[in-house]
Amino acid sequence: MPRKTFRAGFITLIGRPSTGKSTFLNEVLDQKVSIVSPYPQSTRNLIRGIHNLENGQLVFVDTPGFHLSNKRFNKRLTSLLYHALDSVDLQLYFVDATRKLGTEDEQIQKLIEGNNTPSIVIINKCDIAPPEKIINLQKYFKEKDWVKEIFAISALTHGGIPNLLSHIENALPIHPPYYPDTVYTDQHPSLRITEIIRHTCWENFKQEIPYALYVEIEKSLVHKDDNNEITSVDLDVIIYVDSKSHIPIVVGKKGSQIKKLRESSSKILKNVFPYPIELHLQCKQKPKWRTNSAVLNKTIY
């Protein structure tokens, strides 16, 4: 029997903040490659997640949630979305079925309508949304000329995702794989590490410190064996906060919180990397870093 034609391509995930794009990507890959948070702009980079199939390769590009704002930090994040729409084969527009469509959705739809990339509307959170809201959204998008398909899913419970992935695979062009089939993300290891630490910070301080922090590796020491294979890595990592009052929150009494951060992050890293990573965490203040171009160049790309 002849082998089925191989298909591969790039798929951009776009939508308002907290519509479930990152949850979807992590669920499909069964790996934590993108930060999941109820706060806007938790995703700060174009994160590629690679889903390998027997006869296809789906390269998803997660983008920051589209957020109308004149702040330099948010404008820089939104510019990533525009960049992500270039040279992709398919775009998935995520809509939260539990919320009404807003001004940001109107802007996204204008953006989608303005390019020729095939578009699929993903109505997400259908496990908790009232059925009538899902039906109304389906009716609304069926009237849009730029919409090729509509899928109702739950990224959290995996509902509807298998059918969606099958459709995406068949919609991609015939093309050899872009990455080896052992790869699930093209993120540099340093970015993977800082994103995991930042995600742990979100989980621990999402009320006290919304997103006014970033993580940077200050120093690294890589240990190798006689075959030049990495055996372990020691990292000095700085958690930068915007306000001096945030430092005691991150550090905790007698270092209890930062110790908890280290242990939680190390536990995740153990499942991501094939070698031990020893973290040494510090917390420092960097005022107004979200308006500092040098910092934004390092943290948003």
Side-chain angles (χ1 to χ4, degrees):
M1 180 181 292
R3 184 181 178 184
K4 185 179 177 182
T5 303
F6 197 94
R7 295 179 179 274
F10 290 81
I11 308 103
T12 299
L13 314 182
I14 58 177
R16 288 167 64 187
S18 304
T19 51
K21 299 181 285 81
S22 297
T23 300
F24 169 81
L25 182 59
N26 293 341
E27 179 68 19
V28 169
L29 303 181
D30 195 27
Q31 296 282 350
K32 188 174 288 186
V33 299
S34 193
I35 278 192
V36 177
S37 169
Y39 292 92
Q41 315 301 10
S42 53
T43 300
R44 295 180 184 169
N45 314 99
L46 294 182
I47 297 172
R48 291 183 176 88
I50 302 152
H51 183 55
N52 292 294
L53 302 165
E54 182 179 356
N55 296 296
Q57 186 177 80
L58 285 54
V59 184
F60 293 101
V61 184
D62 192 14
T63 65
F66 187 87
H67 184 56
L68 293 174
S69 172
N70 289 322
K71 292 182 179 180
R72 183 182 297 182
F73 177 75
N74 291 324
K75 288 173 71 174
R76 181 71 69 91
L77 288 172
T78 300
S79 70
L80 284 182
L81 188 148
Y82 288 89
H83 176 70
L85 293 178
D86 294 336
S87 304
V88 295
D89 303 289
L90 196 64
Q91 50 196 13
L92 306 187
Y93 168 36
F94 277 72
V95 175
D96 182 344
T98 67
R99 293 191 293 174
K100 292 182 179 180
L101 297 177
T103 304
E104 289 163 339
D105 287 292
E106 294 176 5
Q107 295 298 318
I108 293 171
Q109 291 176 37
K110 288 180 181 179
L111 182 63
I112 294 173
E113 196 172 6
N115 64 57
N116 297 319
T117 305
S119 303
I120 297 176
V121 172
I122 310 298
I123 302 174
N124 191 25
K125 304 188 183 180
C126 291
D127 56 318
I128 57 175
E132 60 271 17
K133 284 192 174 184
I134 300 171
I135 293 172
N136 289 337
L137 284 169
Q138 290 172 327
K139 289 180 179 178
Y140 172 81
F141 284 112
K142 281 180 181 178
E143 298 177 355
K144 303 295 181 180
D145 294 335
W146 50 269
V147 177
K148 300 299 180 184
E149 297 288 343
I150 303 169
F151 283 84
I153 72 164
S154 169
L156 193 62
T157 67
H158 206 76
I161 289 181
N163 288 337
L164 172 59
L165 294 179
S166 177
H167 180 85
I168 292 173
E169 180 186 4
N170 291 325
L172 294 178
I174 297 173
H175 196 282
Y178 289 93
Y179 298 91
D181 60 9
T182 55
V183 173
Y184 66 87
T185 181
D186 69 347
Q187 283 184 312
H188 190 276
S190 61
L191 177 59
R192 295 285 293 114
I193 293 166
T194 56
E195 285 291 278
I196 286 170
I197 296 171
R198 188 163 67 92
H199 176 78
T200 306
C201 290
W202 276 87
E203 291 184 327
N204 285 272
F205 311 121
K206 54 191 173 186
Q207 299 299 330
E208 298 93 337
I209 309 174
Y211 55 88
L213 61 82
Y214 77 96
V215 179
E216 185 175 304
I217 295 175
E218 185 179 53
K219 183 180 178 182
S220 63
L221 179 62
V222 179
H223 304 278
K224 296 184 178 181
D225 60 18
D226 293 338
N227 296 318
N228 205 34
E229 296 289 335
I230 297 177
T231 57
S232 64
V233 177
D234 293 336
L235 297 176
D236 292 341
V237 180
I238 309 296
I239 300 169
Y240 286 104
V241 292
D242 197 54
S243 171
K244 191 173 183 179
S245 63
H246 290 156
I247 294 178
I249 297 174
V250 175
V251 175
K253 187 176 181 180
K254 296 182 178 180
S256 59
Q257 285 299 323
I258 203 164
K259 179 183 177 182
K260 182 180 176 182
L261 285 176
R262 179 180 60 80
E263 291 173 346
S264 299
S265 299
S266 296
K267 186 176 180 180
I268 298 172
L269 291 171
K270 185 178 179 180
N271 294 323
V272 173
F273 293 92
Y275 42 79
I277 296 179
E278 182 69 29
L279 297 176
H280 307 277
L281 304 181
Q282 296 183 62
C283 184
K284 297 182 180 181
Q285 181 195 14
K286 184 159 287 190
K288 299 180 180 180
W289 68 264
R290 284 174 288 177
T291 59
N292 185 317
S293 296
V295 174
L296 294 181
N297 287 337
K298 290 191 292 184
T299 58
I300 301 176
Y301 50 88

